Amino acid sequence: NGIWRHPCPMNMNVVTSSRSSCPINAVVLGEALASEESELVFPSKDFSGQAMVASLEKYLEMYKRSIEDPAGFWSDIASQFYWKEKWGKQVYSENLDVRKGDIKIEWFKGGITNICYNCLDRNVETGNGDKIAIYWEGNEPGSDGSLTYSQLLQKVCQLANYLKDVGVKKGDAVVVYLPMLMELPITMLACARIGAIHSVVFAGFSSESLAQRIMDCKPKAVITCNAVKRGPKVIYLKGIVDTALAESAKSGISIDVCLTYENQSAMMRGETKWQEGRDIWWQDVVPKYPTTCEVEWVDAEDPLFLLYTSGSTGKPKGVLHTTGGYMVYTATTFKYAFDYKPSDVYWCTADCGWITGHSYVTYGPMLNGATVIVFEGAPSYPDPGRCWDIVDKYKVTLFYTAPTLVRSLMRAGDEYVTRYSRKSLRVLGSVGEPINPSAWRWFFNVVGDSRCPISDTWWQTETGGFMITPLPGAWPQKPGSATFPFFGVQPAIVDEKGLKLEGECSGYLCVKSSWPGAFRTLYGDHERYETTYFKPFPGYYFSGDGCSRDKDGYYWLTGRVDDVINVRYHSYLPWAAYSKMKLSIWDFVFITNKFPVIRTCGSGHRIGTAEVESALVSHPQCSEAAVVGVEHEVKGQGIYAFVTLADGVPYSEELRKSLVVTVRKQIGAFAAPDKIHWAPGLPKTRSGKIMRRILRKIASRQLDELGDTSTLADPSVVDQLIALSDS
Ligand code: 6R9
């Protein structure tokens, strides 16, 4: 019914009248019924009636201002925060064009502030001290805790005082290797309070990966805990840290302080290995410090944190975010994309080891004084109803997760969902990869009872916050589309020559001009920052993602176009196969006599194919490896490795296992290949470049789409690979 059109949000011809004639909660199909592009799902009148941005017109008015007058738009918002001193005359300065010199992005330079002060003290001072800041839910149902904003501030101050006492100063790095205990956001905020740069390493990375990060940022202290329970399994984190510290010591990076939280629910301190002088129990020292601590006032452009993420080479990139712009951007995106109200209870299932946990467990929500749930466990433990049990327990209103979790819960069956009320839910959110329309619809209809809009937020570690996202009350959604750009974001879809495409199109997703939350550099490697993100399409930031825009101006992300795999396994259960046979988790236990191993890793893993390859080739019997991503039912993308063995080494199941173990050991369990494909040779061009395009087709069994193989140095390797496909 041709509801409305807008080829580009800036000059769209808005026809929203049919919205009001649309029955509440109905799913309305547009012109071409069969096409996903024309399926529009409207927010209910009730929802829009109370929304912060309740119409497309209102969005367009605000969006237009954000693009025409970014300085005015963002400084009005920034003024709502506490600044010890206001920023200089120039609100921002930028150069995103490599042809015009070094890439530089600055927001609110000269402004003096502190993000911890804005998250905590500001909320306490405005009368929200008794509001719950964190509800903590442990791995085992029934283990829980909570902290009000005042209590959280006190805990943060004690740790901040301790860190200062052991010599951590403004600008020093602190590596954090903690699971989802309240101590994780406490540590982040304590570092921010004293101007130290936190670098959280997801507590699922191996000791080697942790050592690599420690050696790169040379922290003053490492903060960890003895162990954690995830699902039924105990993971001995302190042992991993010990190995990493021994490894970095070999390269001359010695760490004087390893503060260790005793997580009694997983392990007692007596069982923990200890290095006197270096290791110290959190509980023995931190509570002795004063509960107030002076704030270290920092410049808006002083670094806030480093977060390592995968790129297309083996070495992870230290994405650096600074204070002021990140603060303003995460707070604002959180507020609008979830249509935040002070009465909300918000749960983001991501681990703070990933950017989603930085921006949308800790900073964004706390800057808004929100009540946040921190969940230690696995979303399918003890059964796949756990999420909805938690939703009912805390009356969660905003639930933000990843498509992989949605898919795995969808597979477990509706009954795990429908046995819970879920009536507190208001807005659902998705992040990490494109959400396929059938998972979207299940999330919407079953989890949200066709009542809650879904914010499918597209963004990246690098962008700091949401870039393309629905504003839930403002316009109809299309299942699978992240819809429109956030305020201040100018997406550009370009072709391979870097030419900007208009209207309906597909190509590479870039962004023109900076936004406050953008990362400022790659730690210690500004050149790599420029080469990776700004050189491919001069004049633009290049995201690494493919994207198309439909006739109505909606954006549809299509996944990475570089050698990065997005493996998203929130809760990947080996019984996925059994649940297809409609067996429950208990049937699985009964048949196999095993409790399923639950691997849960927060909302996402970006893995560079090169990282996995370099782990594989470090195996003495592997001579070469090429890794590609393949579609995976639950994880979104799975890891598929082609492996060439050293001369004379025979293929064996044992060797296959030992290769997988090598990757698990070097990177982490989440990077373990799903499939090892024996390869007598790899398809290479004459210049020796592996043609991954062909490998991707072989991996996904699209053998009739191999394309031109004539430019290969030895085209016969393709037939050999196909012959070995099912070996
Ligand atoms: C926040 C986060 C970034 C990559 C990104 C893209 C994919 C994230 C998405 C999405 C489609 C969404 N991605 N959200 N693709 N729709 N809503 O995940 O950061 O770990 O750095 O990954 O994830 O491919 O480039 P990060």
Side-chain angles (χ1 to χ4, degrees), residues 35-53:
S35 146
E36 257 139 24
E37 275 185 14
S38 46
E39 178 179 343
L40 295 175
V41 181
F42 286 82
S44 70
K45 269 190 201 158
D46 286 355
F47 190 92
S48 286
Q50 56 75 57
M52 221 173 315
V53 179

Side-chain angles (χ1 to χ4, degrees), residues 250-263:
K250 281 191 215 149
S251 312
I253 313 291
S254 73
I255 303 297
D256 299 334
V257 180
C258 178
L259 184 68
T260 309
Y261 184 82
E262 183 187 7
N263 186 15

Side-chain angles (χ1 to χ4, degrees), residues 309 354-356 430-435 456-462 482 543 545 557 559-560 566 568 604 606:
T309 187
W354 307 100
I355 190 67
T356 309
S430 172
V431 60
E433 58 171 317
I435 178 162
D456 173 6
T457 59
W458 175 79
W459 62 295
Q460 307 176 292
T461 305
E462 294 85 343
S543 67
D545 279 335
L557 276 300
R560 304 288 306 191
N566 288 330
R568 312 294 187 185
R606 244 170 82 168

Side-chain angles (χ1 to χ4, degrees), residues 407-612:
R407 283 192 296 265
S408 79
L409 296 181
M410 179 167 123
R411 202 149 291 145
D414 292 5
E415 59 280 10
Y416 286 109
V417 186
T418 51
R419 69 168 74 136
Y420 296 96
S421 146
R422 294 157 287 112
K423 71 173 188 296
S424 56
L425 288 173
R426 236 167 41 78
V427 182
L428 304 174
S430 172
V431 60
E433 58 171 317
I435 178 162
N436 46 309
S438 61
W440 194 101
R441 287 187 205 105
W442 183 82
F443 200 24
F444 182 78
N445 291 320
V446 180
V447 174
D449 285 329
S450 315
R451 189 171 43 76
C452 311
I454 297 179
S455 285
D456 173 6
T457 59
W458 175 79
W459 62 295
Q460 307 176 292
T461 305
E462 294 85 343
T463 69
F466 306 150
M467 298 295 279
I468 300 182
T469 175
L471 299 189
W475 55 71
Q477 291 158 21
K478 296 191 183 189
S481 162
T483 75
F484 303 130
F486 192 72
F487 304 128
V489 175
Q490 299 185 59
I493 299 179
V494 304
D495 67 10
E496 57 283 4
K497 294 197 190 78
L499 205 72
K500 186 171 178 235
L501 304 171
E502 303 296 336
E504 218 179 321
C505 60
S506 29
Y508 301 99
L509 182 60
C510 293
V511 185
K512 190 178 155 239
S513 303
S514 74
W515 59 99
F519 68 140
R520 306 301 201 243
T521 191
L522 291 179
Y523 183 69
D525 202 348
H526 200 69
E527 200 181 320
R528 188 174 179 199
Y529 172 71
E530 299 191 334
T531 312
T532 315
Y533 301 100
F534 298 94
K535 279 194 184 147
F537 301 108
Y540 296 105
Y541 162 74
F542 173 46
S543 67
D545 279 335
C547 182
S548 63
R549 188 168 46 217
D550 70 18
K551 60 184 184 348
D552 300 320
Y554 282 71
Y555 286 82
W556 298 78
L557 276 300
T558 52
R560 304 288 306 191
V561 295
D562 55 11
D563 290 330
V564 171
I565 307 178
N566 288 330
V567 175
R568 312 294 187 185
Y569 49 107
H570 227 289
S571 98
Y572 171 52
L573 308 177
W575 57 269
Y578 287 79
S579 62
K580 256 197 222 154
M581 295 184 250
K582 297 264 181 268
L583 294 177
S584 75
I585 194 164
W586 301 115
D587 293 326
F588 175 90
V589 175
F590 185 73
I591 296 166
T592 62
N593 203 17
K594 268 192 211 132
F595 205 89
V597 182
I598 301 179
R599 301 195 277 180
T600 174
C601 303
S603 83
H605 294 271
R606 244 170 82 168
I607 301 168
T609 53
E611 279 174 88
V612 183

Side-chain angles (χ1 to χ4, degrees), residues 60-226:
L60 285 175
E61 184 194 312
M62 291 174 73
Y63 181 76
K64 190 161 180 282
R65 173 161 186 241
S66 74
I67 301 303
E68 288 173 357
D69 175 23
F73 181 88
W74 288 112
S75 54
D76 281 357
I77 293 178
S79 305
Q80 297 158 20
F81 294 90
Y82 179 79
W83 298 82
K84 183 116 184 111
E85 274 170 47
K86 214 181 154 194
W87 50 91
K89 273 209 186 72
Q90 219 177 345
V91 177
Y92 72 102
S93 73
E94 64 176 22
N95 173 39
L96 267 63
D97 192 336
V98 275
R99 295 163 302 195
K100 294 185 184 151
D102 294 347
I103 301 297
K104 188 182 105 179
I105 298 171
E106 283 178 352
W107 281 82
F108 312 112
K109 177 95 181 141
I112 305 292
T113 187
N114 182 290
I115 195 168
C116 172
Y117 184 89
N118 275 291
C119 284
L120 304 181
D121 309 56
R122 194 173 53 109
N123 285 316
V124 172
E125 281 159 23
T126 51
N128 279 326
D130 293 334
K131 185 174 176 182
I132 298 290
I134 299 177
Y135 280 123
W136 178 77
E137 172 78 7
N139 181 60
E140 302 300 327
S143 60
D144 52 24
S146 67
L147 287 177
T148 63
Y149 269 92
S150 302
Q151 291 166 332
L152 177 59
L153 173 59
Q154 292 179 2
K155 296 236 177 235
V156 165
C157 286
Q158 287 181 317
L159 179 61
N161 282 322
Y162 166 78
L163 289 174
K164 281 207 293 199
D165 210 20
V166 295
V168 179
K169 294 192 187 59
K170 181 181 168 195
D172 289 339
V174 173
V175 163
V176 186
Y177 190 71
L178 279 171
M180 286 296 273
L181 301 171
M182 290 200 263
E183 283 64 27
L184 180 43
I186 288 173
T187 303
M188 294 162 75
L189 290 160
C191 290
R193 190 166 193 90
I194 61 171
I197 306 166
H198 57 73
S199 180
V200 182
V201 178
F202 170 65
F205 272 112
S206 66
S207 56
E208 269 124 287
S209 295
L210 177 61
Q212 196 179 21
R213 285 152 176 76
I214 289 172
M215 288 187 282
D216 195 62
C217 72
K218 306 177 186 63
K220 265 277 166 63
V222 172
I223 303 184
T224 187
C225 79
N226 50 349

